[in-house]
Amino acid sequence: MEWLNYIAWFFGGAFLTNAIPHFTNGVSDRAFQSIFSRPPGVGLSSSSLNIVWGFMNLVVAWLLLARVGTFDVRVPLHALALGFGVLLMGLALARTFGRFHGGNDPQRSE
């Protein structure tokens, strides 16, 4: 069932994208929202916890991309599955975290 590979690669892209804000905020020594905060996804978690959470997301992404099927970034459909996962998770994260950091306010002037 080759279509299951595409679903796995889509979620690999989603996990890869989710790793970025957690890991970068963690190594920048900034508290950031995570599923471990209270309330989950709203409160702040420590920078160390965000590094661990970001790394766990990277591991899951690697498992989905490197261990499911034969992912090849040079195959357009493979890259498209990954890309849609990256795009949709990126939009979801922007919407979720933007409400805490001012990213979803169209009236905001920069």
Side-chain angles (χ1 to χ4, degrees):
M1 288 196 214
E2 189 173 331
W3 62 272
L4 288 175
N5 293 341
Y6 290 99
I7 292 172
W9 299 334
F10 170 87
F11 282 104
F15 277 97
L16 182 63
T17 303
N18 193 45
I20 295 168
H22 295 288
F23 196 80
T24 55
N25 277 289
V27 299
S28 298
D29 198 26
R30 289 190 300 251
F32 192 69
Q33 290 79 17
S34 81
I35 64 166
F36 303 109
S37 59
R38 287 195 170 99
V42 176
L44 298 175
S45 294
S46 71
S47 57
S48 298
L49 183 60
N50 273 288
I51 290 172
V52 171
W53 184 236
F55 182 77
M56 289 172 57
N57 276 270
L58 284 173
V59 169
V60 172
W62 177 80
L63 289 171
L64 291 170
L65 294 170
R67 307 296 292 168
V68 175
T70 309
F71 180 78
D72 185 350
V73 73
R74 295 170 295 180
V75 175
L77 286 177
H78 295 190
L80 198 60
L82 172 72
F84 276 135
V86 169
L87 175 65
L88 292 180
M89 180 57 93
L91 291 171
L93 291 174
R95 188 163 188 76
T96 299
F97 296 136
R99 67 186 172 133
F100 301 113
H101 303 282
N104 288 329
D105 184 4
Q107 302 301 318
R108 187 180 95 191
S109 61
E110 296 185 39

